[in-house]
Amino acid sequence: MSGDPIYCREKHMNIQQNAKKPQVAIMNAVHDLPVLVARDKGYFKDEGLDIEFVTTPGMAQVTTSHLVQFDSVFERPLDSVYNDGGIDQYRMCEWGIMKRAVEADSSGLRKRKIVALGASMSKFAIVVAGNSQYYEPEMLKNQAIAVTPNNGSDFTTLKMMEGFLAQEHVKRTNAGSMLKRLEAVRDGKVAAASVMEPWISVAQKWGLRILIESHSTRSEAAGDDLDGPTLARMFRAQARAVELIEKDPTPFIHYFIRETGGLLEPHEFQAWRLLHAAPQPYTRERFDDTYNWTVKWNMTVPGATFENTVDNRAWN
């Protein structure tokens, strides 16, 4: 009988067994360290979550030969996997998530919403050659800075530079992965490059000059099929990992060293640049400020609203 308690219990177990595992993306350690630590320490399992972790290519890995030359961000590795249903939840720079959340629907692609302000305040820096004639950010007027277009290094570069130069004098170019950018600076092919850790530490090891650096917060994105309670458990696991990282990041440096393919020794990594906090709701005020700034730089299309872009269902 359908009302039998044993039948109901077995039916509930079958639903759990047949339920699709949440598929969570992992890319660069500087963005994903709390996820990596929560995974390896079993914090997601402690929350009752059975998650499939999907590794996608990132510009921080020394093994990434992929050059971002696509006209659409939605053709890039992480985005194409999401669009095909291969991942359900991911994080990247705040403005990158904003662009994708705003434009996916109008492009007829799988929808995604901003579901949290993320845990990683990733450090970016603009570097030049050690013998460069550039000593301050405003000296880069009309000089190309190597970035990943429409990603964290691009947006954070604009944030850092707009206090020094008028909008029309801030120039960016694509020189490939973080390693390729540093090589281009070292070899005099570009004036400057925007990189994140562990590549800021590599730049210092190589004797490059840091002109300016800044933290850049992640945003978390998810599809509509990932419910609020599941996201809440995921973010609690990340918050627990953040507490561990902030006490002492040393045990987790190996994630960054691996990305350099041997170019950096553990003692050469500048762990003091790491900064993390628990995921939190994405506020209307932050949306208004960030979205309007993004539109100003022609980084996304106008007309979006807080209601159709943000969903703080993990806290509802």
Side-chain angles (χ1 to χ4, degrees):
M1 295 176 61
S2 60
D4 183 81
I6 295 178
Y7 172 85
C8 293
R9 185 165 60 250
E10 289 178 346
K11 181 179 180 182
H12 179 66
M13 289 175 63
N14 287 334
I15 291 173
Q16 285 185 317
Q17 290 171 354
N18 294 330
K20 177 177 173 289
K21 294 181 181 179
Q23 296 169 301
V24 176
I26 295 175
M27 190 166 51
N28 301 313
V30 73
H31 303 331
D32 298 329
L33 188 60
V35 176
L36 292 166
V37 172
R39 178 198 66 183
D40 294 348
K41 292 292 184 181
Y43 296 163
F44 290 113
K45 290 184 178 179
D46 290 346
E47 290 286 344
L49 295 170
D50 184 11
I51 292 176
E52 179 182 348
F53 296 95
V54 180
T55 301
T56 59
M59 290 295 103
Q61 282 82 44
V62 73
T63 54
T64 298
S65 59
H66 172 76
L67 290 177
V68 179
Q69 296 176 330
F70 305 122
D71 292 333
S72 170
V73 295
F74 297 111
E75 296 175 6
R76 297 178 186 178
L78 184 149
D79 297 283
S80 61
V81 173
Y82 177 86
N83 292 330
D84 292 339
I87 54 176
D88 303 307
Q89 199 278 322
Y90 63 97
R91 69 221 50 82
M92 58 175 57
C93 86
E94 184 176 3
W95 310 290
I97 293 291
M98 182 74 73
K99 180 178 180 67
R100 289 156 174 81
V102 168
E103 296 182 14
D105 191 32
S106 62
S107 300
L109 298 171
R110 184 185 180 192
K111 295 181 180 180
R112 78 245 21 222
K113 293 283 183 68
I114 299 172
V115 293
L117 190 65
S120 296
M121 274 63 78
S122 309
K123 203 67 174 292
F124 283 84
I126 297 175
V127 303
V128 298
N131 60 354
S132 169
Q133 60 181 324
Y134 308 115
Y135 297 94
E136 53 188 357
E138 53 263 54
M139 289 183 171
L140 292 175
K141 180 178 181 180
N142 296 326
Q143 298 298 316
I145 304 170
V147 303
T148 304
N150 290 307
N151 268 28
S153 59
D154 192 3
F155 296 117
T156 310
T157 293
L158 298 180
K159 280 283 190 179
M160 289 190 283
M161 294 300 296
E162 71 175 350
F164 297 90
L165 293 172
Q167 188 168 348
E168 64 270 20
H169 296 304
V170 182
K171 307 298 181 184
R172 297 103 68 209
T173 189
N174 174 23
S177 67
M178 299 284 168
L179 173 59
K180 294 299 182 184
R181 282 174 230 178
L182 292 185
E183 291 175 341
V185 170
R186 180 196 63 192
D187 298 341
K189 295 179 180 178
V190 295
S194 181
V195 295
M196 58 195 181
E197 286 292 14
W199 298 98
I200 306 174
S201 293
V202 172
Q204 288 183 291
K205 180 178 180 179
W206 287 5
L208 303 185
R209 180 186 303 145
I210 296 175
L211 294 191
I212 186 173
E213 52 187 297
S214 174
H215 288 290
S216 170
T217 308
R218 307 300 89 199
S219 284
E220 300 270 355
D224 292 339
D225 51 343
L226 201 56
D227 62 64
T230 299
L231 286 170
R233 293 196 294 270
M234 291 168 63
F235 296 153
R236 282 198 298 269
Q238 284 195 49
R240 187 177 171 192
V242 164
E243 291 182 6
L244 198 62
I245 296 166
E246 286 299 292
K247 286 179 181 177
D248 180 15
T250 307
F252 314 114
I253 287 174
H254 64 91
Y255 294 107
F256 296 90
I257 302 306
R258 183 168 58 234
E259 290 184 345
T260 71
L263 293 176
L264 207 63
E265 297 293 330
H267 70 276
E268 295 170 322
F269 178 71
Q270 304 294 313
W272 61 268
R273 286 194 176 96
L274 300 179
L275 180 63
H276 299 87
Q280 55 189 281
Y282 200 89
T283 67
R284 182 180 296 272
E285 180 180 12
R286 188 166 189 119
F287 170 81
D288 289 340
D289 291 343
T290 302
Y291 178 63
N292 290 334
W293 179 89
T294 307
V295 171
K296 180 188 77 172
W297 279 96
N298 196 30
M299 287 291 187
T300 191
V301 297
T305 66
F306 178 83
E307 284 74 20
N308 62 27
T309 309
V310 179
D311 188 342
N312 289 309
R313 58 184 178 268
W315 288 272
N316 294 337

